[in-house]
């Protein structure tokens, strides 16, 4: 279901079971209110709408859950009473269930960054805080019974019932929101919901106008300024199965993929049965390698580097991540550096997080000591799979890149792999699937632990890639790794037929090392990035992520260009 529902001064965008873009007098109040059910590994069950009813002031969904063992049934409602909107979730467990979270979540707009935030705690005590400006590594607010803030000439007060809530900064995962949720992570999880048990939660929102909203005129203009060198473009090694494992050299690798980039990032789990085969396949497919080891038993690093020393490729970088924490502790950085020296292999050592920026942000104390280069992955569809989530993530990628550069404190930052969905579940507690063979007939890595997305082959993804590169390529970002070479998570099919995003990545790759020009998006959906070669010739890549055509004015080195962009397309001039 997708429709706009209006009642009095209120407007709500219904997106299936989600109450999205909640507005009062056409001003944003909340990004979303949604009921969620998450299992012991934080997987999210689907809520299926059994029936839907609406009146002048009330919306009501009858729902049941499906997936990940969740069996709940009940209602989710929104009711309007003048300046008050009340959202209610009432679900009854149909069977015993172990959950990490079952309840309502509330998303706040990132535009409230820096706004004064009044908090009422569960004991009635009040506290005055602010919405974080820099991305907060940990929860900025605990023990929430009510929140109050001003935004766009509105006083917004939200009361929470049914549990104690807390807030996290979802910009860590490139979500365009702060999230207020229950139950507090300080309480043990998973926790049991017994068969027949009711979960009832209420979010009540009171809005009071404080004045007329200021009129703002949108100008589709971007001025590009020179900030450094254009990042190197890399491609992730394919994790898909060999087409014919006994004859890899003639099957499975897309023809001419090297036209995109001669550098490939390969991630190798040293506890897996086929990591050696994965290294050999990547080595045959690239001139240069960026190698990242996943290490459970640190003593296995010696063997891994010994094998790495036998491949003929130029090794650009080597990194290692602890298999349990998915980050690079100081001990692992130092060990890797010493082993590289003893093996006489010349390569830069990278330290960071293989999951999300979140872990880099949170684990700086153990990552940064001794680090000389920093890395993080980007996975925008972690919390939500909607198109809105994917598009809105781009503006957050700019904030993340800037903060990562600050964390690196003068050291280079390497971003990637950039993938639509996670390559693995970094919060899973259950044993994860893994290959059983020593060859690549089953694939490896994300083939077992990741998720595919139909948008990988879409023409719109090409525009998203250009916008994402424009947002991420701030001064200090040295390389960006995109997707995989081929396969369901790749830039081409298993037979080498390129998808539309390949053309966009190729355009970026051709600009590596040129002077870099970046600018500020006027709306988070129009983006441009520029480059100038040694002769001064400039190139502009522009992208429109909006659902309607746009005329974008881009200025570079004093010259202005008017670029016409169809919806969700990109252009090069």
């Amino acid at each position: 279901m997708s429709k706009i529902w209006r009642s009095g001064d209120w407007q709500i965008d219904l997106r299936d079971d989600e109450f999205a873009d909640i507005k009062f007098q056409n001003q944003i109040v909340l990004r979303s209110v949604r009921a969620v059910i998450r299992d012991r590994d934080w997987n999210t069950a689907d809520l299926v709408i059994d029936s839907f009813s609406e009146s002048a002031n009330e919306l009501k969904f009858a729902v049941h859950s499906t997936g990940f063992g969740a069996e709940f049934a009940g209602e989710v409602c929104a009711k309007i009473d003048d300046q008050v909107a009340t959202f209610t979730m009432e679900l009854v467990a149909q069977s015993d269930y172990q959950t990490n979270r079952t309840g309502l979540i509330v998303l706040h707009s990132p535009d409230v960054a820096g706004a004064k935030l009044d908090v009422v705690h569960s004991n009635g005590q009040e506290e005055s805080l602010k919405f974080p400006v820099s991305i907060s590594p940990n929860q900025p607010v605990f023990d929430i019974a009510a929140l109050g803030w001003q935004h766009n000439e509105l006083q917004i007060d939200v009361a929470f019932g049914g549990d104690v809530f807390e807030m996290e900064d979802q910009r860590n995962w490139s979500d365009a929101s702060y999230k207020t949720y229950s139950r507090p992570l300080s309480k043990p999880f998973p926790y049991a919901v017994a068969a027949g048990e009711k979960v009832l939660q209420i979010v009540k929102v009171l809005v009071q106008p404080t004045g007329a909203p200021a009129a703002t005129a949108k100008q589709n203009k971007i001025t590009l300024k020179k900030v450094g060198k254009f990042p190197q473009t890399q491609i992730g090694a394919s994790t898909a199965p060999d087409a014919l494992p006994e004859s890899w050299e003639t099957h499975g690798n897309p023809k001419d993929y090297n036209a995109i980039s001669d550098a490939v990032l390969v991630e190798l789990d040293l506890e897996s049965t086929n990591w050696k085969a994965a290294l050999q396949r990547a080595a045959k497919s690239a001139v240069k390698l960026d190698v990242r080891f996943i290490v459970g038993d640190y003593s296995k690093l010696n063997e891994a580097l010994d094998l790495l020393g036998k491949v003929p490729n130029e090794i650009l970088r080597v990194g290692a991540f602890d298999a349990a924490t998915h980050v690079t502790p100081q001990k692992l950085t130092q060990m890797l550096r010493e082993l590289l020296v003893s093996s006489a292999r010349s390569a830069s050592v990278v330290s960071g997080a293989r999951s999300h920026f979140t872990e880099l942000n949170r684990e700086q104390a153990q990552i940064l000591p001794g680090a000389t280069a920093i890395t993080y992955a980007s996975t925008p569809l972690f919390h939500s799979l909607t198109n809105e989530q994917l598009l809105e993530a781009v503006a957050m990628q700019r904030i993340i890149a800037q903060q990562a550069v600050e964390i690196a404190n003068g050291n280079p930052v390497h971003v990637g792999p950039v993938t639509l969905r996670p390559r693995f579940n970094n919060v899973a507690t259950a044993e994860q699937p893994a290959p059983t063979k020593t060859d690549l007939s089953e694939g490896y890595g994300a083939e077992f632990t990741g998720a595919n997305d139909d948008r990988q082959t879409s023409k719109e993804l090409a525009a998203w890639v250009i916008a994402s590169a424009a947002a991420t390529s701030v001064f200090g970002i040295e390389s960006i790794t995109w997707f995989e070479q081929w396969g369901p998570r790749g830039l081409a099919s298993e037979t080498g037929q390129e998808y539309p995003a390949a053309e966009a990545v190729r355009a970026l790759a051709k600009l590596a090392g040129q002077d870099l020009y970046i600018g500020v998006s006027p709306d988070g959906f129009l983006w441009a990035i520029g480059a100038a070669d040694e002769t001064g010739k400039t190139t502009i890549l522009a992208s429109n992520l909006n659902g309607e055509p746009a005329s974008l004015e881009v200025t570079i080195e004093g010259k202005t260009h008017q670029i016409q962009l169809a919806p969700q397309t990109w252009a090069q001039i």
Side-chain angles (χ1 to χ4, degrees), residues 328-379:
T328 313
Q330 180 182 5
K331 176 183 177 181
L332 198 49
T333 295
Q334 185 60 30
M335 183 178 180
L336 184 58
R337 185 170 286 117
E338 291 172 356
L339 288 172
L340 278 170
V341 170
S342 64
S343 67
R345 195 82 207 222
S346 175
S348 162
V349 174
V350 293
S351 309
R354 66 179 285 253
S355 47
H356 310 93
F357 170 76
T358 313
E359 282 66 45
L360 173 63
N361 201 15
R362 290 177 175 174
E363 304 300 334
Q364 296 179 45
Q366 63 169 318
I367 295 172
L368 295 183
T372 54
I374 295 299
T375 186
Y376 68 91
S378 182
T379 307

Short mmCIF file of all heavy atoms in Angstrom, two decimals, residues 328-379:
data_model
loop_
_atom_site.label_atom_id
_atom_site.label_comp_id
_atom_site.label_asym_id
_atom_site.label_seq_id
_atom_site.Cartn_x
_atom_site.Cartn_y
_atom_site.Cartn_z
N THR A 328 39.55 -3.81 13.39
CA THR A 328 40.97 -4.08 13.48
C THR A 328 41.52 -3.56 14.81
O THR A 328 41.75 -2.36 14.96
CB THR A 328 41.73 -3.39 12.34
OG1 THR A 328 41.08 -3.64 11.10
CG2 THR A 328 43.18 -3.88 12.27
N PRO A 329 41.73 -4.42 15.78
CA PRO A 329 42.33 -3.94 17.03
C PRO A 329 43.81 -3.63 16.82
O PRO A 329 44.44 -4.10 15.87
CB PRO A 329 42.14 -5.13 17.98
CG PRO A 329 42.04 -6.32 17.10
CD PRO A 329 41.40 -5.85 15.82
N GLN A 330 44.36 -2.83 17.71
CA GLN A 330 45.76 -2.41 17.60
C GLN A 330 46.69 -3.61 17.46
O GLN A 330 47.63 -3.60 16.66
CB GLN A 330 46.14 -1.58 18.83
CG GLN A 330 47.59 -1.10 18.82
CD GLN A 330 47.95 -0.32 20.07
OE1 GLN A 330 47.15 -0.21 20.99
NE2 GLN A 330 49.15 0.24 20.12
N LYS A 331 46.43 -4.67 18.23
CA LYS A 331 47.29 -5.86 18.19
C LYS A 331 47.34 -6.45 16.78
O LYS A 331 48.41 -6.87 16.29
CB LYS A 331 46.77 -6.90 19.17
CG LYS A 331 47.52 -8.23 19.14
CD LYS A 331 46.89 -9.23 20.10
CE LYS A 331 47.58 -10.59 20.01
NZ LYS A 331 46.94 -11.59 20.92
N LEU A 332 46.22 -6.47 16.09
CA LEU A 332 46.16 -7.05 14.76
C LEU A 332 46.86 -6.16 13.74
O LEU A 332 47.55 -6.65 12.83
CB LEU A 332 44.69 -7.28 14.36
CG LEU A 332 44.39 -8.23 13.20
CD1 LEU A 332 45.14 -9.55 13.37
CD2 LEU A 332 42.90 -8.46 13.09
N THR A 333 46.71 -4.84 13.87
CA THR A 333 47.43 -3.92 12.99
C THR A 333 48.93 -4.11 13.12
O THR A 333 49.66 -4.20 12.12
CB THR A 333 47.06 -2.46 13.33
OG1 THR A 333 45.69 -2.24 13.03
CG2 THR A 333 47.91 -1.47 12.52
N GLN A 334 49.41 -4.17 14.37
CA GLN A 334 50.84 -4.32 14.59
C GLN A 334 51.35 -5.65 14.08
O GLN A 334 52.42 -5.73 13.45
CB GLN A 334 51.15 -4.19 16.09
CG GLN A 334 52.63 -4.20 16.44
CD GLN A 334 53.41 -3.08 15.79
OE1 GLN A 334 52.86 -2.00 15.53
NE2 GLN A 334 54.68 -3.33 15.49
N MET A 335 50.61 -6.71 14.32
CA MET A 335 51.01 -8.04 13.87
C MET A 335 51.08 -8.09 12.35
O MET A 335 52.04 -8.64 11.77
CB MET A 335 50.02 -9.07 14.40
CG MET A 335 50.35 -10.50 14.06
SD MET A 335 49.12 -11.63 14.78
CE MET A 335 49.78 -13.20 14.20
N LEU A 336 50.10 -7.53 11.68
CA LEU A 336 50.07 -7.52 10.23
C LEU A 336 51.26 -6.73 9.67
O LEU A 336 51.92 -7.17 8.71
CB LEU A 336 48.75 -6.92 9.75
CG LEU A 336 48.49 -6.90 8.25
CD1 LEU A 336 48.54 -8.31 7.68
CD2 LEU A 336 47.15 -6.25 7.95
N ARG A 337 51.54 -5.60 10.27
CA ARG A 337 52.66 -4.78 9.79
C ARG A 337 53.99 -5.52 9.95
O ARG A 337 54.83 -5.51 9.05
CB ARG A 337 52.68 -3.45 10.55
CG ARG A 337 53.72 -2.48 10.05
CD ARG A 337 53.55 -1.10 10.65
NE ARG A 337 52.40 -0.42 10.05
CZ ARG A 337 51.33 -0.04 10.71
NH1 ARG A 337 51.23 -0.28 12.01
NH2 ARG A 337 50.34 0.58 10.11
N GLU A 338 54.19 -6.18 11.07
CA GLU A 338 55.44 -6.92 11.30
C GLU A 338 55.59 -8.08 10.33
O GLU A 338 56.69 -8.35 9.83
CB GLU A 338 55.48 -7.42 12.75
CG GLU A 338 55.65 -6.30 13.77
CD GLU A 338 55.49 -6.80 15.21
OE1 GLU A 338 55.18 -8.00 15.38
OE2 GLU A 338 55.68 -5.99 16.12
N LEU A 339 54.49 -8.79 10.05
CA LEU A 339 54.55 -9.91 9.13
C LEU A 339 54.83 -9.45 7.70
O LEU A 339 55.55 -10.13 6.94
CB LEU A 339 53.25 -10.70 9.17
CG LEU A 339 53.01 -11.54 10.44
CD1 LEU A 339 51.59 -12.12 10.45
CD2 LEU A 339 54.04 -12.67 10.53
N LEU A 340 54.29 -8.30 7.33
CA LEU A 340 54.57 -7.77 6.01
C LEU A 340 56.05 -7.40 5.86
O LEU A 340 56.67 -7.66 4.82
CB LEU A 340 53.69 -6.54 5.73
CG LEU A 340 52.26 -6.81 5.27
CD1 LEU A 340 51.45 -5.53 5.28
CD2 LEU A 340 52.24 -7.43 3.88
N VAL A 341 56.60 -6.83 6.89
CA VAL A 341 58.03 -6.46 6.86
C VAL A 341 58.89 -7.71 6.72
O VAL A 341 59.83 -7.77 5.92
CB VAL A 341 58.42 -5.66 8.11
CG1 VAL A 341 59.93 -5.50 8.20
CG2 VAL A 341 57.74 -4.29 8.12
N SER A 342 58.59 -8.73 7.51
CA SER A 342 59.39 -9.97 7.48
C SER A 342 59.25 -10.70 6.16
O SER A 342 60.16 -11.42 5.74
CB SER A 342 58.97 -10.89 8.63
OG SER A 342 57.63 -11.32 8.48
N SER A 343 58.10 -10.53 5.47
CA SER A 343 57.92 -11.18 4.18
C SER A 343 58.43 -10.34 3.02
O SER A 343 58.36 -10.77 1.87
CB SER A 343 56.43 -11.48 3.96
OG SER A 343 55.69 -10.28 3.83
N ALA A 344 58.93 -9.14 3.33
CA ALA A 344 59.48 -8.22 2.33
C ALA A 344 58.43 -7.86 1.27
O ALA A 344 58.76 -7.58 0.13
CB ALA A 344 60.72 -8.82 1.66
N ARG A 345 57.17 -7.87 1.68
CA ARG A 345 56.09 -7.50 0.77
C ARG A 345 55.74 -6.04 0.99
O ARG A 345 55.49 -5.62 2.13
CB ARG A 345 54.86 -8.36 1.04
CG ARG A 345 53.83 -8.29 -0.09
CD ARG A 345 54.21 -9.22 -1.22
NE ARG A 345 53.69 -8.76 -2.50
CZ ARG A 345 53.15 -9.55 -3.42
NH1 ARG A 345 53.06 -10.83 -3.19
NH2 ARG A 345 52.72 -9.06 -4.56
N SER A 346 55.72 -5.26 -0.04
CA SER A 346 55.45 -3.83 0.08
C SER A 346 53.96 -3.57 -0.09
O SER A 346 53.39 -3.83 -1.16
CB SER A 346 56.24 -3.05 -0.98
OG SER A 346 55.89 -1.69 -0.94
N ALA A 347 53.32 -3.12 0.97
CA ALA A 347 51.89 -2.80 0.91
C ALA A 347 51.53 -1.92 2.08
O ALA A 347 52.11 -2.04 3.17
CB ALA A 347 51.04 -4.07 0.92
N SER A 348 50.56 -1.06 1.86
CA SER A 348 50.03 -0.24 2.94
C SER A 348 49.13 -1.10 3.83
O SER A 348 48.46 -2.02 3.34
CB SER A 348 49.24 0.92 2.34
OG SER A 348 48.39 1.52 3.25
N VAL A 349 49.11 -0.81 5.13
CA VAL A 349 48.25 -1.53 6.07
C VAL A 349 47.05 -0.64 6.40
O VAL A 349 47.21 0.51 6.79
CB VAL A 349 49.01 -1.89 7.35
CG1 VAL A 349 48.06 -2.51 8.38
CG2 VAL A 349 50.14 -2.86 7.04
N VAL A 350 45.85 -1.21 6.25
CA VAL A 350 44.63 -0.47 6.57
C VAL A 350 43.99 -1.06 7.82
O VAL A 350 44.04 -2.27 8.06
CB VAL A 350 43.62 -0.47 5.41
CG1 VAL A 350 44.15 0.30 4.23
CG2 VAL A 350 43.26 -1.89 5.00
N SER A 351 43.39 -0.20 8.62
CA SER A 351 42.71 -0.61 9.86
C SER A 351 41.32 0.03 9.86
O SER A 351 41.15 1.14 9.36
CB SER A 351 43.49 -0.14 11.08
OG SER A 351 44.85 -0.51 11.00
N GLY A 352 40.36 -0.67 10.44
CA GLY A 352 39.02 -0.07 10.49
C GLY A 352 37.94 -1.07 10.76
O GLY A 352 38.10 -1.96 11.59
N ALA A 353 36.82 -0.92 10.03
CA ALA A 353 35.63 -1.76 10.24
C ALA A 353 35.16 -2.30 8.91
O ALA A 353 35.04 -1.56 7.93
CB ALA A 353 34.52 -0.96 10.90
N ARG A 354 34.86 -3.59 8.86
CA ARG A 354 34.39 -4.21 7.62
C ARG A 354 32.87 -4.21 7.52
O ARG A 354 32.31 -4.63 6.51
CB ARG A 354 34.92 -5.64 7.49
CG ARG A 354 34.38 -6.61 8.52
CD ARG A 354 34.94 -8.02 8.31
NE ARG A 354 34.33 -8.69 7.17
CZ ARG A 354 33.45 -9.70 7.28
NH1 ARG A 354 33.07 -10.14 8.47
NH2 ARG A 354 32.96 -10.25 6.21
N SER A 355 32.18 -3.76 8.56
CA SER A 355 30.72 -3.83 8.61
C SER A 355 30.09 -2.50 8.19
O SER A 355 29.53 -2.38 7.11
CB SER A 355 30.27 -4.22 10.01
OG SER A 355 30.95 -3.45 10.99
N HIS A 356 30.19 -1.51 9.06
CA HIS A 356 29.59 -0.20 8.81
C HIS A 356 30.49 0.88 9.44
O HIS A 356 31.36 0.58 10.24
CB HIS A 356 28.20 -0.08 9.46
CG HIS A 356 27.28 -1.21 9.14
ND1 HIS A 356 27.15 -2.32 9.95
CD2 HIS A 356 26.43 -1.40 8.11
CE1 HIS A 356 26.26 -3.15 9.42
NE2 HIS A 356 25.82 -2.62 8.31
N PHE A 357 30.22 2.12 9.09
CA PHE A 357 30.89 3.24 9.76
C PHE A 357 30.63 3.18 11.25
O PHE A 357 31.48 3.61 12.06
CB PHE A 357 30.39 4.56 9.18
CG PHE A 357 30.85 5.76 9.95
CD1 PHE A 357 32.15 6.23 9.84
CD2 PHE A 357 29.98 6.42 10.82
CE1 PHE A 357 32.57 7.33 10.57
CE2 PHE A 357 30.40 7.52 11.55
CZ PHE A 357 31.70 7.98 11.43
N THR A 358 29.49 2.65 11.65
CA THR A 358 29.11 2.56 13.06
C THR A 358 30.24 2.02 13.91
O THR A 358 30.59 2.58 14.96
CB THR A 358 27.88 1.63 13.22
OG1 THR A 358 26.90 2.00 12.25
CG2 THR A 358 27.32 1.70 14.62
N GLU A 359 30.81 0.89 13.48
CA GLU A 359 31.84 0.23 14.29
C GLU A 359 33.14 1.03 14.29
O GLU A 359 33.86 1.05 15.28
CB GLU A 359 32.06 -1.19 13.76
CG GLU A 359 30.98 -2.18 14.19
CD GLU A 359 29.62 -1.88 13.59
OE1 GLU A 359 29.54 -1.59 12.37
OE2 GLU A 359 28.61 -1.93 14.33
N LEU A 360 33.45 1.71 13.19
CA LEU A 360 34.62 2.61 13.19
C LEU A 360 34.40 3.73 14.20
O LEU A 360 35.30 4.08 14.98
CB LEU A 360 34.84 3.18 11.79
CG LEU A 360 35.92 4.27 11.68
CD1 LEU A 360 37.29 3.71 12.04
CD2 LEU A 360 35.93 4.87 10.28
N ASN A 361 33.20 4.28 14.20
CA ASN A 361 32.87 5.39 15.09
C ASN A 361 32.92 4.96 16.56
O ASN A 361 33.41 5.70 17.42
CB ASN A 361 31.47 5.91 14.73
CG ASN A 361 31.22 7.32 15.20
OD1 ASN A 361 32.14 8.06 15.56
ND2 ASN A 361 29.96 7.73 15.20
N ARG A 362 32.41 3.76 16.83
CA ARG A 362 32.31 3.30 18.21
C ARG A 362 33.63 2.72 18.76
O ARG A 362 33.87 2.76 19.97
CB ARG A 362 31.22 2.23 18.32
CG ARG A 362 29.82 2.78 18.16
CD ARG A 362 28.78 1.67 18.20
NE ARG A 362 27.42 2.22 18.17
CZ ARG A 362 26.32 1.50 18.09
NH1 ARG A 362 26.41 0.18 18.02
NH2 ARG A 362 25.14 2.09 18.07
N GLU A 363 34.43 2.15 17.89
CA GLU A 363 35.61 1.41 18.34
C GLU A 363 36.92 2.14 18.04
O GLU A 363 37.96 1.51 17.84
CB GLU A 363 35.63 0.02 17.70
CG GLU A 363 34.38 -0.80 17.96
CD GLU A 363 34.13 -1.06 19.44
OE1 GLU A 363 35.10 -1.04 20.23
OE2 GLU A 363 32.95 -1.28 19.81
N GLN A 364 36.88 3.46 18.03
CA GLN A 364 38.08 4.22 17.72
C GLN A 364 39.23 3.90 18.68
O GLN A 364 40.39 3.86 18.27
CB GLN A 364 37.78 5.72 17.77
CG GLN A 364 36.78 6.19 16.72
CD GLN A 364 36.49 7.67 16.84
OE1 GLN A 364 37.41 8.49 16.99
NE2 GLN A 364 35.22 8.04 16.77
N ALA A 365 38.91 3.67 19.93
CA ALA A 365 39.96 3.44 20.94
C ALA A 365 40.81 2.23 20.63
O ALA A 365 42.01 2.21 20.92
CB ALA A 365 39.33 3.30 22.33
N GLN A 366 40.21 1.20 20.03
CA GLN A 366 41.01 0.03 19.72
C GLN A 366 41.49 0.01 18.27
O GLN A 366 42.47 -0.69 17.96
CB GLN A 366 40.24 -1.26 20.01
CG GLN A 366 38.98 -1.51 19.22
CD GLN A 366 38.47 -2.94 19.42
OE1 GLN A 366 39.25 -3.89 19.45
NE2 GLN A 366 37.18 -3.09 19.60
N ILE A 367 40.89 0.79 17.38
CA ILE A 367 41.30 0.80 15.97
C ILE A 367 42.44 1.79 15.71
O ILE A 367 43.39 1.47 14.98
CB ILE A 367 40.10 1.15 15.07
CG1 ILE A 367 39.04 0.06 15.14
CG2 ILE A 367 40.54 1.36 13.62
CD1 ILE A 367 37.75 0.41 14.43
N LEU A 368 42.36 2.97 16.28
CA LEU A 368 43.25 4.06 15.86
C LEU A 368 44.70 3.93 16.30
O LEU A 368 45.60 4.31 15.54
CB LEU A 368 42.67 5.40 16.33
CG LEU A 368 41.33 5.81 15.70
CD1 LEU A 368 40.92 7.18 16.19
CD2 LEU A 368 41.40 5.79 14.18
N PRO A 369 45.00 3.42 17.49
CA PRO A 369 46.41 3.35 17.88
C PRO A 369 47.23 2.52 16.89
O PRO A 369 46.93 1.36 16.63
CB PRO A 369 46.36 2.68 19.26
CG PRO A 369 45.01 3.00 19.79
CD PRO A 369 44.12 2.97 18.60
N GLY A 370 48.25 3.14 16.31
CA GLY A 370 49.11 2.46 15.36
C GLY A 370 48.60 2.44 13.94
O GLY A 370 49.30 1.99 13.03
N ALA A 371 47.38 2.92 13.71
CA ALA A 371 46.81 2.88 12.36
C ALA A 371 47.42 3.98 11.49
O ALA A 371 47.63 5.11 11.94
CB ALA A 371 45.30 3.05 12.43
N THR A 372 47.68 3.65 10.23
CA THR A 372 48.21 4.62 9.28
C THR A 372 47.28 4.82 8.08
O THR A 372 47.55 5.67 7.23
CB THR A 372 49.58 4.17 8.77
OG1 THR A 372 49.49 2.83 8.24
CG2 THR A 372 50.62 4.19 9.89
N ALA A 373 46.22 4.03 7.99
CA ALA A 373 45.18 4.21 6.98
C ALA A 373 43.89 3.61 7.55
O ALA A 373 43.94 2.62 8.28
CB ALA A 373 45.55 3.53 5.67
N ILE A 374 42.77 4.22 7.22
CA ILE A 374 41.49 3.85 7.82
C ILE A 374 40.53 3.37 6.73
O ILE A 374 40.55 3.86 5.60
CB ILE A 374 40.88 5.06 8.56
CG1 ILE A 374 41.78 5.47 9.74
CG2 ILE A 374 39.47 4.78 9.04
CD1 ILE A 374 41.95 4.39 10.79
N THR A 375 39.67 2.42 7.09
CA THR A 375 38.67 1.94 6.15
C THR A 375 37.33 1.69 6.85
O THR A 375 37.29 1.41 8.05
CB THR A 375 39.13 0.64 5.46
OG1 THR A 375 38.17 0.28 4.45
CG2 THR A 375 39.26 -0.50 6.45
N TYR A 376 36.25 1.83 6.09
CA TYR A 376 34.91 1.44 6.55
C TYR A 376 34.08 1.06 5.34
O TYR A 376 34.36 1.50 4.21
CB TYR A 376 34.22 2.57 7.33
CG TYR A 376 33.85 3.78 6.52
CD1 TYR A 376 32.60 3.90 5.90
CD2 TYR A 376 34.75 4.84 6.35
CE1 TYR A 376 32.26 5.02 5.16
CE2 TYR A 376 34.42 5.95 5.60
CZ TYR A 376 33.18 6.04 5.00
OH TYR A 376 32.85 7.14 4.24
N ALA A 377 33.08 0.22 5.54
CA ALA A 377 32.18 -0.18 4.47
C ALA A 377 30.93 0.68 4.49
O ALA A 377 30.63 1.34 5.49
CB ALA A 377 31.82 -1.66 4.61
N SER A 378 30.19 0.66 3.38
CA SER A 378 28.96 1.44 3.28
C SER A 378 27.84 0.55 2.78
O SER A 378 27.95 -0.03 1.68
CB SER A 378 29.15 2.64 2.34
OG SER A 378 27.98 3.42 2.27
N THR A 379 26.79 0.42 3.58
CA THR A 379 25.68 -0.49 3.27
C THR A 379 24.36 0.21 3.59
O THR A 379 23.83 0.07 4.69
CB THR A 379 25.81 -1.78 4.12
OG1 THR A 379 27.12 -2.31 3.94
CG2 THR A 379 24.79 -2.81 3.72
#
